[in-house]
Coordinates of all heavy atoms in Angstrom, one line a residue:
M214 N -8.1 -2.5 -17.2 CA -8.5 -3.8 -16.7 C -7.8 -4.0 -15.4 O -6.6 -3.8 -15.2 CB -8.0 -4.8 -17.8 CG -8.4 -6.2 -17.4 SD -8.1 -7.3 -18.8 CE -7.1 -8.5 -18.0
Y215 N -8.5 -4.5 -14.4 CA -8.0 -4.8 -13.1 C -7.6 -6.3 -13.0 O -8.2 -7.1 -13.7 CB -9.1 -4.5 -12.0 CG -9.4 -3.1 -11.9 CD1 -10.5 -2.5 -12.5 CD2 -8.6 -2.2 -11.2 CE1 -10.8 -1.2 -12.3 CE2 -8.9 -0.9 -11.0 CZ -10.0 -0.4 -11.6 OH -10.3 0.9 -11.5
L216 N -6.6 -6.5 -12.2 CA -6.3 -7.9 -11.9 C -7.4 -8.4 -10.9 O -7.8 -7.7 -10.0 CB -4.9 -8.0 -11.2 CG -3.7 -7.6 -12.1 CD1 -2.5 -7.8 -11.3 CD2 -3.7 -8.5 -13.3
I217 N -7.7 -9.7 -11.0 CA -8.6 -10.3 -10.0 C -7.8 -11.0 -8.9 O -6.6 -11.2 -9.1 CB -9.7 -11.2 -10.7 CG1 -9.0 -12.4 -11.4 CG2 -10.6 -10.4 -11.6 CD1 -9.9 -13.4 -11.9
D218 N -8.5 -11.4 -7.9 CA -7.8 -12.0 -6.7 C -6.8 -13.1 -7.1 O -5.7 -13.2 -6.6 CB -8.8 -12.4 -5.7 CG -9.9 -13.4 -6.2 OD1 -10.0 -13.6 -7.4 OD2 -10.6 -13.9 -5.3
K219 N -7.2 -14.0 -8.0 CA -6.4 -15.1 -8.4 C -5.1 -14.6 -9.1 O -4.0 -15.1 -8.8 CB -7.2 -16.0 -9.4 CG -6.4 -17.2 -9.9 CD -7.2 -18.0 -10.9 CE -6.4 -19.0 -11.6 NZ -7.1 -19.7 -12.6
E220 N -5.2 -13.6 -9.9 CA -4.0 -13.0 -10.6 C -3.1 -12.2 -9.6 O -1.9 -12.3 -9.7 CB -4.5 -12.1 -11.7 CG -5.2 -12.8 -12.8 CD -6.0 -11.9 -13.7 OE1 -6.6 -10.9 -13.3 OE2 -6.0 -12.1 -15.0
I221 N -3.7 -11.6 -8.6 CA -2.9 -10.9 -7.6 C -2.1 -11.9 -6.8 O -1.0 -11.7 -6.5 CB -3.8 -10.0 -6.7 CG1 -4.5 -8.9 -7.5 CG2 -3.0 -9.4 -5.5 CD1 -5.6 -8.2 -6.7
K222 N -2.8 -13.0 -6.4 CA -2.1 -14.0 -5.6 C -1.0 -14.6 -6.5 O 0.1 -14.9 -5.9 CB -3.1 -15.1 -5.2 CG -4.0 -14.6 -4.1 CD -5.1 -15.7 -3.8 CE -6.1 -15.1 -2.8 NZ -7.2 -16.0 -2.6
E223 N -1.2 -14.7 -7.8 CA -0.1 -15.3 -8.7 C 1.1 -14.4 -8.7 O 2.2 -14.8 -8.6 CB -0.7 -15.4 -10.1 CG 0.2 -16.1 -11.0 CD -0.4 -16.3 -12.4 OE1 -1.5 -17.0 -12.4 OE2 0.1 -15.9 -13.4
I224 N 0.9 -13.0 -8.8 CA 2.1 -12.1 -8.8 C 2.7 -12.1 -7.4 O 3.9 -11.8 -7.4 CB 1.7 -10.7 -9.4 CG1 0.8 -10.0 -8.5 CG2 1.2 -10.8 -10.8 CD1 0.6 -8.5 -8.8
I225 N 2.0 -12.4 -6.4 CA 2.6 -12.5 -5.1 C 3.6 -13.7 -5.1 O 4.7 -13.6 -4.7 CB 1.6 -12.6 -3.9 CG1 0.9 -11.2 -3.8 CG2 2.3 -13.0 -2.6 CD1 -0.3 -11.3 -2.8
H226 N 3.1 -14.8 -5.5 CA 3.9 -16.0 -5.5 C 5.0 -15.9 -6.5 O 6.1 -16.6 -6.3 CB 3.0 -17.2 -5.8 CG 2.0 -17.6 -4.8 ND1 2.4 -17.8 -3.5 CD2 0.7 -17.6 -4.8 CE1 1.3 -18.1 -2.7 NE2 0.3 -17.9 -3.5
N227 N 4.9 -15.1 -7.6 CA 6.0 -15.0 -8.6 C 7.0 -14.0 -8.2 O 8.0 -13.7 -8.9 CB 5.4 -14.7 -9.9 CG 4.6 -15.8 -10.5 OD1 4.8 -17.0 -10.2 ND2 3.8 -15.5 -11.5
G228 N 6.9 -13.3 -7.0 CA 7.9 -12.3 -6.6 C 7.7 -10.9 -7.1 O 8.5 -10.1 -6.8
V229 N 6.7 -10.7 -7.9 CA 6.4 -9.4 -8.4 C 6.0 -8.4 -7.3 O 6.3 -7.3 -7.2 CB 5.4 -9.4 -9.6 CG1 5.0 -8.0 -10.0 CG2 5.9 -10.2 -10.8
F230 N 5.2 -9.0 -6.4 CA 4.6 -8.3 -5.3 C 5.2 -8.8 -4.0 O 4.7 -9.7 -3.4 CB 3.1 -8.5 -5.3 CG 2.3 -7.5 -4.5 CD1 0.9 -7.6 -4.6 CD2 2.9 -6.5 -3.8 CE1 0.1 -6.7 -3.9 CE2 2.1 -5.6 -3.1 CZ 0.7 -5.7 -3.1
E231 N 6.4 -8.3 -3.6 CA 7.1 -8.8 -2.4 C 6.5 -8.4 -1.1 O 6.0 -7.3 -0.9 CB 8.6 -8.3 -2.5 CG 9.4 -8.7 -3.7 CD 10.7 -8.1 -3.7 OE1 11.2 -7.6 -2.7 OE2 11.3 -8.1 -4.8
N232 N 6.6 -9.3 -0.1 CA 6.1 -9.1 1.2 C 4.6 -8.9 1.3 O 4.1 -8.5 2.4 CB 6.8 -7.9 1.9 CG 8.3 -8.1 2.0 OD1 8.7 -9.2 2.3 ND2 9.0 -7.0 1.9
A233 N 3.9 -9.1 0.3 CA 2.4 -9.0 0.3 C 1.9 -10.2 1.0 O 2.4 -11.3 0.8 CB 1.8 -8.8 -1.1
E234 N 0.8 -10.1 1.7 CA 0.1 -11.2 2.4 C -1.1 -11.6 1.6 O -2.0 -10.8 1.3 CB -0.3 -10.8 3.8 CG 0.9 -10.4 4.7 CD 0.4 -9.9 6.0 OE1 -0.7 -10.2 6.5 OE2 1.2 -9.2 6.7
V235 N -1.1 -12.9 1.2 CA -2.2 -13.4 0.4 C -3.5 -13.2 1.2 O -4.5 -13.0 0.6 CB -1.9 -14.9 0.1 CG1 -3.2 -15.6 -0.5 CG2 -0.7 -15.1 -0.8
S236 N -3.5 -13.3 2.5 CA -4.7 -13.1 3.3 C -5.3 -11.7 3.1 O -6.4 -11.4 3.5 CB -4.5 -13.4 4.8 OG -3.5 -12.5 5.3
C237 N -4.5 -10.7 2.6 CA -4.9 -9.3 2.4 C -5.4 -9.1 1.0 O -5.8 -7.9 0.7 CB -3.8 -8.4 2.8 SG -3.3 -8.4 4.5
V238 N -5.5 -10.1 0.2 CA -6.0 -10.0 -1.2 C -7.6 -10.0 -1.1 O -8.2 -10.8 -0.5 CB -5.5 -11.1 -2.1 CG1 -6.1 -11.0 -3.5 CG2 -4.0 -11.0 -2.2
D239 N -8.2 -9.0 -1.8 CA -9.6 -9.0 -2.0 C -10.0 -9.2 -3.4 O -9.1 -9.6 -4.2 CB -10.1 -7.6 -1.5 CG -11.6 -7.6 -1.1 OD1 -12.2 -8.6 -1.2 OD2 -12.0 -6.5 -0.6
S240 N -11.2 -9.0 -3.8 CA -11.6 -9.4 -5.2 C -10.8 -8.7 -6.3 O -10.4 -9.3 -7.3 CB -13.1 -9.1 -5.4 OG -13.3 -7.7 -5.1
V241 N -10.4 -7.4 -6.1 CA -9.6 -6.7 -7.1 C -8.5 -5.8 -6.5 O -8.1 -4.8 -7.0 CB -10.5 -5.8 -8.1 CG1 -11.3 -6.7 -9.0 CG2 -11.3 -4.8 -7.3
S242 N -8.1 -6.2 -5.3 CA -7.2 -5.3 -4.5 C -6.4 -6.1 -3.5 O -6.7 -7.3 -3.2 CB -7.9 -4.2 -3.8 OG -8.7 -4.8 -2.8
C243 N -5.3 -5.5 -3.0 CA -4.6 -6.1 -1.9 C -4.2 -4.9 -1.0 O -3.6 -3.9 -1.4 CB -3.3 -6.8 -2.4 SG -2.3 -7.6 -1.1
D244 N -4.4 -5.1 0.3 CA -4.1 -4.1 1.3 C -2.6 -4.0 1.5 O -1.9 -5.0 1.5 CB -4.7 -4.4 2.7 CG -6.2 -4.2 2.7 OD1 -6.8 -3.6 1.7 OD2 -6.9 -4.8 3.6
L245 N -2.1 -2.7 1.5 CA -0.7 -2.5 1.9 C -0.6 -2.1 3.3 O -1.6 -1.7 3.9 CB -0.1 -1.3 1.0 CG -0.2 -1.5 -0.5 CD1 0.3 -0.2 -1.2 CD2 0.6 -2.7 -0.9
H246 N 0.6 -2.3 3.9 CA 0.8 -2.0 5.3 C 1.9 -1.0 5.5 O 2.9 -1.1 4.8 CB 1.1 -3.3 6.1 CG 0.1 -4.3 5.9 ND1 0.0 -5.2 4.9 CD2 -1.0 -4.6 6.7 CE1 -1.1 -6.0 5.0 NE2 -1.7 -5.6 6.2
I247 N 1.8 -0.1 6.5 CA 2.8 0.9 6.8 C 4.0 0.2 7.5 O 3.8 -0.5 8.5 CB 2.2 2.0 7.6 CG1 1.1 2.8 6.9 CG2 3.3 2.9 8.1 CD1 0.4 3.8 7.7
K248 N 5.1 0.3 6.9 CA 6.4 -0.2 7.5 C 6.9 0.8 8.5 O 7.2 0.5 9.6 CB 7.4 -0.4 6.4 CG 8.7 -1.0 6.9 CD 9.6 -1.3 5.7 CE 10.8 -2.1 6.1 NZ 11.6 -2.5 5.0
Y249 N 6.9 2.1 8.1 CA 7.3 3.2 9.0 C 6.8 4.5 8.5 O 6.5 4.6 7.3 CB 8.8 3.2 9.4 CG 9.7 3.4 8.2 CD1 10.0 4.7 7.7 CD2 10.2 2.3 7.5 CE1 10.8 4.9 6.6 CE2 11.0 2.5 6.4 CZ 11.3 3.8 5.9 OH 12.1 3.9 4.8
I250 N 6.8 5.5 9.3 CA 6.5 6.9 9.0 C 7.8 7.6 8.9 O 8.6 7.5 9.8 CB 5.5 7.5 10.0 CG1 4.2 6.6 10.1 CG2 5.1 8.9 9.6 CD1 3.4 6.9 11.4
V251 N 8.0 8.4 7.9 CA 9.2 9.2 7.8 C 9.0 10.5 8.6 O 8.1 11.3 8.4 CB 9.5 9.6 6.3 CG1 10.7 10.4 6.2 CG2 9.5 8.3 5.4
G252 N 9.9 10.6 9.6 CA 9.9 11.8 10.4 C 11.0 12.8 10.1 O 11.6 12.7 9.0
D253 N 11.2 13.7 11.0 CA 12.2 14.7 10.7 C 13.6 14.1 10.5 O 13.9 13.1 11.2 CB 12.3 15.7 11.9 CG 11.0 16.5 12.1 OD1 10.3 16.7 11.1 OD2 10.7 16.9 13.2
E254 N 14.4 14.6 9.6 CA 15.7 14.1 9.3 C 15.7 12.7 8.9 O 16.6 11.9 9.2 CB 16.7 14.4 10.4 CG 16.8 15.9 10.7 CD 17.8 16.2 11.8 OE1 18.7 15.3 12.1 OE2 17.7 17.3 12.4
N255 N 14.6 12.2 8.3 CA 14.4 10.9 7.8 C 14.3 9.8 8.8 O 14.6 8.6 8.6 CB 15.4 10.5 6.7 CG 15.2 11.3 5.4 OD1 14.1 11.7 5.1 ND2 16.3 11.7 4.8
A256 N 14.0 10.2 10.1 CA 13.9 9.2 11.2 C 12.7 8.3 10.9 O 11.7 8.8 10.4 CB 13.7 9.9 12.5
E257 N 12.9 7.0 11.2 CA 11.8 6.1 11.0 C 10.9 6.0 12.3 O 11.4 5.6 13.3 CB 12.3 4.7 10.7 CG 13.1 4.6 9.4 CD 13.6 3.3 9.1 OE1 13.3 2.3 9.8 OE2 14.4 3.2 8.1
L258 N 9.7 6.5 12.2 CA 8.8 6.6 13.3 C 7.7 5.5 13.2 O 7.3 5.1 12.1 CB 8.1 7.9 13.3 CG 8.9 9.2 13.3 CD1 8.1 10.4 13.2 CD2 9.8 9.2 14.5
A259 N 7.3 5.0 14.4 CA 6.2 4.0 14.4 C 4.8 4.8 14.5 O 3.8 4.3 14.1 CB 6.3 3.1 15.6
V260 N 4.9 5.9 15.1 CA 3.6 6.7 15.4 C 3.9 8.2 15.1 O 5.0 8.7 15.4 CB 3.2 6.6 16.8 CG1 2.0 7.4 17.1 CG2 2.9 5.1 17.2
K261 N 3.0 8.9 14.5 CA 3.1 10.3 14.3 C 1.8 11.0 14.5 O 0.8 10.6 13.8 CB 3.7 10.7 13.0 CG 3.8 12.2 12.7 CD 4.5 12.4 11.4 CE 4.5 13.9 11.0 NZ 5.3 14.7 11.8
E262 N 1.6 11.9 15.4 CA 0.4 12.6 15.6 C 0.3 13.7 14.5 O 1.3 14.6 14.4 CB 0.3 13.2 17.0 CG -1.1 13.8 17.3 CD -1.2 14.1 18.7 OE1 -0.7 13.4 19.6 OE2 -1.9 15.1 19.0
L263 N -0.8 13.8 13.8 CA -0.9 14.8 12.7 C -1.9 15.9 13.2 O -2.9 15.6 13.8 CB -1.5 14.2 11.4 CG -0.6 13.1 10.7 CD1 -1.3 12.5 9.6 CD2 0.7 13.8 10.3
E264 N -1.5 17.1 12.8 CA -2.4 18.2 13.0 C -3.2 18.4 11.8 O -2.9 17.9 10.7 CB -1.6 19.5 13.2 CG -0.7 19.5 14.5 CD -1.5 19.5 15.8 OE1 -2.6 20.0 15.8 OE2 -1.0 18.8 16.7
P265 N -4.4 19.0 11.9 CA -5.3 19.2 10.7 C -4.5 19.8 9.5 O -3.7 20.8 9.7 CB -6.4 20.1 11.2 CG -6.4 19.9 12.6 CD -5.0 19.6 13.1
G266 N -4.6 19.2 8.3 CA -3.9 19.7 7.2 C -2.4 19.3 7.0 O -1.8 19.5 6.0
E267 N -1.9 18.6 8.0 CA -0.5 18.2 8.0 C -0.4 16.9 7.1 O -1.3 16.1 7.0 CB 0.0 17.9 9.4 CG 1.5 17.7 9.5 CD 2.0 17.5 10.9 OE1 1.2 17.5 11.9 OE2 3.2 17.3 11.1
T268 N 0.8 16.7 6.6 CA 1.1 15.6 5.7 C 2.2 14.7 6.3 O 3.1 15.2 7.0 CB 1.6 16.1 4.3 OG1 0.6 16.9 3.8 CG2 1.9 15.0 3.4
A269 N 2.1 13.4 6.1 CA 3.1 12.5 6.5 C 3.5 11.6 5.3 O 2.6 11.2 4.5 CB 2.6 11.7 7.7
I270 N 4.7 11.3 5.2 CA 5.2 10.3 4.2 C 5.4 9.0 4.9 O 6.0 8.9 6.0 CB 6.5 10.8 3.6 CG1 6.3 12.2 2.9 CG2 7.1 9.8 2.6 CD1 7.6 12.8 2.4
V271 N 4.8 7.9 4.3 CA 4.9 6.6 4.8 C 5.6 5.7 3.9 O 5.5 5.8 2.6 CB 3.6 6.0 5.2 CG1 2.9 6.9 6.3 CG2 2.7 5.9 4.0
A272 N 6.3 4.7 4.4 CA 6.9 3.6 3.6 C 6.1 2.4 3.8 O 5.7 2.0 4.9 CB 8.4 3.4 4.0
A273 N 5.8 1.7 2.7 CA 5.0 0.5 2.7 C 5.9 -0.7 3.0 O 7.1 -0.7 2.6 CB 4.3 0.3 1.4
N274 N 5.3 -1.7 3.7 CA 6.0 -3.0 3.9 C 6.2 -3.8 2.6 O 7.2 -4.5 2.5 CB 5.3 -3.8 5.0 CG 6.1 -5.0 5.4 OD1 7.2 -4.8 5.8 ND2 5.5 -6.1 5.4
E275 N 5.3 -3.6 1.7 CA 5.3 -4.4 0.5 C 6.1 -3.6 -0.6 O 6.2 -2.4 -0.5 CB 3.9 -4.5 -0.1 CG 3.0 -5.4 0.9 CD 2.4 -4.6 2.1 OE1 2.6 -3.4 2.1 OE2 1.8 -5.2 2.9
R276 N 6.6 -4.4 -1.5 CA 7.4 -3.8 -2.6 C 6.8 -4.4 -3.9 O 6.7 -5.6 -4.0 CB 8.9 -4.1 -2.5 CG 9.7 -3.6 -3.6 CD 11.2 -4.0 -3.5 NE 11.9 -3.7 -4.7 CZ 12.8 -2.8 -4.8 NH1 13.1 -2.0 -3.7 NH2 13.4 -2.5 -5.9
I277 N 6.6 -3.5 -4.9 CA 6.0 -4.0 -6.1 C 7.1 -3.8 -7.2 O 7.5 -2.7 -7.5 CB 4.7 -3.3 -6.5 CG1 3.7 -3.4 -5.4 CG2 4.1 -3.8 -7.8 CD1 2.5 -2.5 -5.5
N278 N 7.5 -4.9 -7.8 CA 8.4 -4.8 -9.0 C 7.6 -4.8 -10.2 O 7.3 -5.8 -10.8 CB 9.3 -6.1 -8.9 CG 10.1 -6.1 -7.6 OD1 10.8 -5.2 -7.2 ND2 10.0 -7.3 -6.9
M279 N 7.1 -3.6 -10.6 CA 6.1 -3.4 -11.6 C 6.7 -3.8 -13.0 O 7.7 -3.2 -13.4 CB 5.7 -2.0 -11.6 CG 4.4 -1.8 -12.4 SD 3.0 -2.5 -11.7 CE 2.7 -1.6 -10.3
P280 N 6.1 -4.7 -13.7 CA 6.5 -5.1 -15.1 C 6.3 -3.9 -16.0 O 5.4 -3.1 -15.7 CB 5.7 -6.3 -15.4 CG 5.1 -6.8 -14.2 CD 5.1 -5.6 -13.2
D281 N 6.9 -3.8 -17.1 CA 6.8 -2.7 -18.1 C 5.4 -2.7 -18.7 O 4.9 -1.6 -19.1 CB 7.8 -2.8 -19.2 CG 9.2 -2.5 -18.7 OD1 9.4 -1.8 -17.7 OD2 10.2 -2.9 -19.4
D282 N 4.7 -3.8 -18.7 CA 3.3 -3.9 -19.3 C 2.2 -3.7 -18.3 O 1.1 -4.1 -18.6 CB 3.2 -5.1 -20.1 CG 3.3 -6.4 -19.3 OD1 3.7 -6.3 -18.1 OD2 2.9 -7.5 -19.8
M283 N 2.5 -3.2 -17.1 CA 1.5 -3.1 -16.1 C 1.6 -1.7 -15.4 O 2.7 -1.2 -15.3 CB 1.7 -4.2 -15.1 CG 0.7 -4.3 -14.0 SD 1.1 -5.6 -12.8 CE 0.8 -7.1 -13.8
I284 N 0.4 -1.2 -14.9 CA 0.5 0.0 -14.1 C -0.3 -0.3 -12.8 O -1.1 -1.3 -12.8 CB -0.2 1.2 -14.8 CG1 -1.6 1.0 -15.1 CG2 0.6 1.6 -16.0 CD1 -2.4 2.2 -15.5
G285 N -0.1 0.4 -11.8 CA -0.8 0.2 -10.5 C -1.4 1.5 -10.0 O -0.9 2.6 -10.3
T286 N -2.3 1.4 -9.1 CA -3.0 2.5 -8.5 C -3.1 2.2 -7.0 O -3.5 1.1 -6.6 CB -4.4 2.7 -9.1 OG1 -4.3 2.9 -10.5 CG2 -5.0 3.9 -8.5
I287 N -2.7 3.2 -6.2 CA -2.9 3.1 -4.8 C -4.0 4.0 -4.4 O -4.1 5.2 -4.7 CB -1.6 3.6 -4.0 CG1 -0.5 2.6 -4.4 CG2 -1.8 3.6 -2.5 CD1 0.9 3.0 -3.8
I288 N -5.0 3.5 -3.7 CA -6.2 4.2 -3.3 C -6.4 4.0 -1.8 O -5.9 3.1 -1.2 CB -7.5 3.8 -4.1 CG1 -7.8 2.4 -3.9 CG2 -7.3 4.2 -5.5 CD1 -9.1 1.9 -4.5
H289 N -7.1 4.9 -1.2 CA -7.4 4.8 0.2 C -8.6 3.9 0.5 O -9.4 3.7 -0.3 CB -7.6 6.2 0.8 CG -8.5 7.0 0.0 ND1 -8.1 7.9 -1.0 CD2 -9.9 7.1 0.0 CE1 -9.1 8.5 -1.5 NE2 -10.2 8.0 -1.0
K290 N -8.6 3.4 1.7 CA -9.8 2.6 2.2 C -10.8 3.6 2.7 O -10.5 4.6 3.4 CB -9.3 1.7 3.3 CG -8.4 0.6 2.8 CD -8.0 -0.3 3.9 CE -9.2 -1.2 4.2 NZ -9.0 -2.6 4.5
N291 N -12.1 3.3 2.5 CA -13.2 4.1 3.0 C -13.1 4.2 4.5 O -13.4 5.3 5.1 CB -14.5 3.5 2.6 CG -14.8 3.8 1.1 OD1 -14.2 4.8 0.6 ND2 -15.6 3.0 0.5
S292 N -12.7 3.2 5.2 CA -12.6 3.2 6.7 C -11.6 4.3 7.2 O -11.8 4.9 8.2 CB -12.3 1.9 7.3 OG -11.0 1.4 6.8
R293 N -10.6 4.5 6.4 CA -9.6 5.6 6.7 C -10.1 6.9 6.4 O -9.8 7.9 7.1 CB -8.3 5.3 6.0 CG -7.6 4.0 6.4 CD -7.3 4.0 7.9 NE -6.7 2.7 8.3 CZ -7.3 1.9 9.1 NH1 -8.4 2.1 9.7 NH2 -6.7 0.7 9.4
L294 N -10.9 7.0 5.3 CA -11.5 8.3 5.0 C -12.4 8.8 6.1 O -12.4 10.0 6.4 CB -12.3 8.2 3.7 CG -11.5 8.3 2.4 CD1 -12.4 8.1 1.2 CD2 -10.9 9.7 2.3
R295 N -13.1 7.9 6.7 CA -14.1 8.3 7.7 C -13.4 8.8 9.0 O -13.9 9.5 9.8 CB -15.0 7.1 8.1 CG -16.0 6.8 7.0 CD -17.0 5.8 7.5 NE -16.5 4.5 7.8 CZ -16.4 3.5 6.9 NH1 -16.7 3.7 5.6 NH2 -15.9 2.3 7.3
T296 N -12.1 8.5 9.1 CA -11.3 9.0 10.2 C -10.6 10.3 9.9 O -9.9 10.9 10.7 CB -10.2 8.0 10.7 OG1 -9.2 7.8 9.7 CG2 -10.8 6.7 11.1
G297 N -10.8 10.8 8.7 CA -10.2 12.0 8.3 C -8.9 11.9 7.5 O -8.3 12.9 7.2
L298 N -8.4 10.7 7.2 CA -7.2 10.5 6.5 C -7.4 10.4 5.0 O -8.4 9.8 4.6 CB -6.4 9.3 7.0 CG -5.9 9.3 8.4 CD1 -5.3 8.0 8.8 CD2 -4.9 10.4 8.6
S299 N -6.5 10.9 4.2 CA -6.6 10.7 2.8 C -5.3 10.3 2.3 O -4.2 10.6 2.9 CB -7.2 11.9 2.1 OG -6.3 13.0 2.2
V300 N -5.2 9.6 1.1 CA -4.0 9.2 0.5 C -3.8 9.9 -0.8 O -4.7 10.0 -1.6 CB -4.1 7.6 0.3 CG1 -2.8 7.2 -0.5 CG2 -4.2 6.9 1.6
S301 N -2.6 10.4 -1.0 CA -2.2 10.9 -2.3 C -0.9 10.2 -2.6 O 0.2 10.4 -2.1 CB -1.9 12.4 -2.1 OG -1.5 13.0 -3.3
A302 N -1.0 9.3 -3.6 CA 0.2 8.4 -3.9 C 0.7 8.8 -5.3 O -0.1 9.1 -6.2 CB -0.2 7.0 -3.9
P303 N 2.0 8.8 -5.5 CA 2.6 9.1 -6.8 C 2.3 7.9 -7.7 O 2.0 6.8 -7.4 CB 4.1 9.2 -6.5 CG 4.3 8.5 -5.2 CD 3.0 8.5 -4.5

């Protein structure tokens, strides 16, 4: 069962979903934003040029304090897939 926009906004206001922007909530989702890209020796990068097949680790600006009775899924946006990027989230 997915949370709907009203429920997502509620967990933002209750502090479960920190730094999330209510304006980024859609019908059953909320966009996350890249805080920084992890570079060599854990340097925080604003930009990283990727070669084909290369991987980058990113930190999100948002933090989710997931309750024990809830699970979350991170998926990619179709607009990013069309540019050749894909997301593999733990």
Side-chain angles (χ1 to χ4, degrees):
M214 181 171 131
Y215 292 100
L216 297 179
I217 60 172
D218 55 351
K219 178 182 174 185
E220 295 166 320
I221 297 169
K222 290 174 184 176
E223 185 176 305
I224 66 170
I225 290 171
H226 292 301
N227 290 341
V229 173
F230 199 178
E231 296 176 19
N232 297 327
E234 298 177 23
V235 174
S236 62
C237 294
V238 174
D239 203 353
S240 58
V241 292
S242 65
C243 183
D244 291 342
L245 301 178
H246 300 86
I247 295 173
K248 185 174 186 177
Y249 60 86
I250 303 163
V251 179
D253 295 335
E254 299 180 23
N255 293 326
E257 295 180 10
L258 306 174
V260 177
K261 178 175 175 67
E262 188 170 322
L263 295 174
E264 298 295 328
E267 191 176 1
T268 300
I270 297 172
V271 298
N274 189 52
E275 297 78 8
R276 178 184 170 108
I277 304 169
N278 302 306
M279 195 67 69
D281 291 337
D282 63 345
M283 185 182 289
I284 62 168
T286 303
I287 297 175
I288 58 172
H289 47 265
K290 294 182 73 143
N291 285 336
S292 60
R293 298 298 178 244
L294 276 175
R295 289 191 295 272
T296 66
L298 292 175
S299 65
V300 173
S301 178

